[in-house]
Amino acid sequence: MAQGIGYAHGKIILMGEHAVVYGEPAVAIPFTAVKIKATVEKNQGKNSIDCLFYKGLVEEMPELLESLHKAIDISLEKIKKNDWLSIKIESTVPAERGMGSSAAVAVAVTRAIFDYYSRPLMDDELLEIVNESEKIAHGNPSGLDALMTSSHVPYYYIKNQELSPFDLNLHGVLVVGDTGMTGKTKEAVKDVADKVKAYPETYGNDIRALGQLARESLYFLENDMPVELGKHMSAAQELLRKLDVSSTKLDQLITAALSAGALGAKLTGGGRGGCMIALGKDKAHGAKIAQSLLDAGAAETWIFEMNGGGPVD
Ligand code: PMV
């Protein structure tokens, strides 16, 4: 039977979340430790979907999956076909944890639909479809999630500017800790916007400071300067806390990572739950930090070698 397959993975924002919405730079990496596979096949009567959160008709999908619904509708409109499809989603990307799950699922499903019809899908077109669907999930997406969950290289990203991939040259491991609590990206993005509007001097400056930290971090990432990067990560966390996008649990995990000797630690993604990241010197140090996170109540941890090594078993 004809089948279309599409893949995507998670992403980790190293620096610049929230500020990126205001035109400041962000630095992010593809996070292939967590992945999504979508499979599309012909169906008998109506479009159906089978994923962890829902199994049933596309037209009756719950609000939580509204952005995915949008990506399916736009893809089918573009392809101009109206056969009935069955869409199956297998995912290890935790939902609403700052790893770009909503964008990743839209990327995988869009790719699978285009693959099913043997239609080429240019990167620009994929990003356009996913960004459109992300407007529902995020309100005002920077476009970073769509890019990073579909790309295999790290990016220095500024909204509406030419894309700049960069070469990661940093000895160190990234430890990711999941609070086990869902993040609240849409709400956090809106609250930051309200703050910036009400107090442009104070919070506008914080946004610019976050951008400056991201700008300088690019140099550290390209020139193997983990100690300097760690300090910038912790400085960014202070600003993100000031913008009120951290949470008690995130702060606890960050403290645990630092007490295990992490070079720096911060939240990643939208915040208010979701995941935090910490920088360790090597695999053994990463394992120590991960243990300290688990002891402090992390739901899950991942250790990721920065220099192209990928996930550590
Ligand atoms: O929580 P996530 O994985 O969706 O990441 C959100 C990142 C923000 O910078 C807060 C928003 C955006 O659109 O870039």
Side-chain angles (χ1 to χ4, degrees):
M1 202 202 292
Q3 243 190 10
I5 308 258
Y7 293 97
H9 44 256
K11 64 101 220 277
I12 293 289
I13 301 179
L14 296 176
M15 296 290 280
E17 51 274 273
H18 286 288
V20 67
V21 173
Y22 299 85
E24 295 295 333
V27 190
I29 55 169
F31 191 59
T32 53
V34 292
K35 293 187 176 113
I36 294 195
K37 179 184 178 189
T39 310
V40 168
E41 287 176 355
K42 193 175 167 57
N43 204 23
Q44 302 302 327
K46 304 236 168 167
N47 291 325
S48 72
I49 193 138
D50 178 356
C51 66
L52 194 62
F53 303 99
Y54 175 74
K55 193 172 155 84
L57 297 182
V58 167
E59 62 185 33
E60 289 169 7
M61 261 156 82
E63 207 183 322
L64 178 74
L65 297 172
E66 213 186 318
S67 61
L68 172 60
H69 196 168
K70 184 89 185 162
I72 296 170
D73 284 351
I74 307 176
S75 299
L76 293 175
E77 259 165 47
K78 281 185 178 275
I79 288 176
K80 296 193 175 59
K81 290 271 189 189
N82 51 7
D83 315 310
W84 299 123
L85 303 178
S86 105
I87 302 168
K88 186 167 194 270
I89 298 164
E90 295 158 274
S91 173
T92 56
V93 183
E96 298 182 79
R97 297 295 211 286
M99 289 196 194
S101 61
S102 62
V105 73
V107 166
V109 169
T110 302
R111 281 179 166 159
I113 293 174
F114 276 73
D115 185 48
Y116 178 77
Y117 288 111
S118 305
R119 290 288 176 89
L121 177 63
M122 296 296 136
D123 287 349
D124 282 2
E125 195 173 13
L126 173 68
L127 295 183
E128 184 197 314
I129 297 170
V130 176
N131 278 327
E132 212 40 56
S133 79
E134 281 284 277
K135 282 187 189 152
I136 295 172
H138 272 195
N140 180 21
S142 65
L144 182 60
D145 283 10
L147 175 68
M148 294 316 305
T149 55
S150 58
S151 142
H152 282 278
V153 291
Y155 274 94
Y156 179 72
Y157 179 85
I158 303 177
K159 193 175 166 177
N160 299 329
Q161 286 199 12
E162 204 175 312
L163 297 175
S164 344
F166 70 93
D167 289 326
L168 192 58
N169 172 30
L170 187 95
H171 288 91
V173 293
L174 193 71
V175 185
V176 182
D178 184 356
T179 59
M181 292 165 173
T182 52
K184 296 178 182 59
T185 302
K186 195 171 181 175
E187 181 193 291
V189 168
K190 170 146 191 327
D191 288 356
V192 171
D194 290 346
K195 279 196 169 59
V196 172
K197 201 166 164 212
Y199 305 100
E201 289 280 306
T202 318
Y203 295 112
N205 278 345
D206 293 339
I207 293 287
R208 279 187 291 280
L210 280 167
Q212 185 58 23
L213 290 170
R215 220 168 269 121
E216 290 167 7
S217 295
L218 175 68
Y219 185 82
F220 304 151
L221 283 155
E222 290 179 322
N223 294 284
D224 202 9
M225 296 166 74
V227 173
E228 291 76 1
L229 177 66
K231 285 191 184 138
H232 270 41
M233 285 167 65
S234 295
Q237 173 61 18
E238 281 311 309
L239 292 164
L240 290 163
R241 201 178 285 142
K242 216 175 135 194
L243 287 168
D244 195 25
V245 294
S246 196
S247 73
T248 309
K249 189 80 205 176
L250 280 166
D251 290 345
Q252 280 167 359
L253 295 187
I254 287 162
T255 305
L258 294 174
S259 65
L263 302 173
K266 63 185 274 293
L267 65 86
T268 183
R272 301 243 171 113
C275 291
M276 48 70 67
I277 53 175
L279 193 63
K281 292 176 213 142
D282 51 33
K283 278 192 211 174
H285 191 204
K288 184 174 166 207
I289 296 168
Q291 189 54 54
S292 163
L293 291 176
L294 290 169
D295 293 345
E300 201 170 347
T301 60
W302 296 262
I303 305 175
F304 196 78
E305 257 195 282
M306 292 292 269
N307 250 0
V312 174
D313 295 330

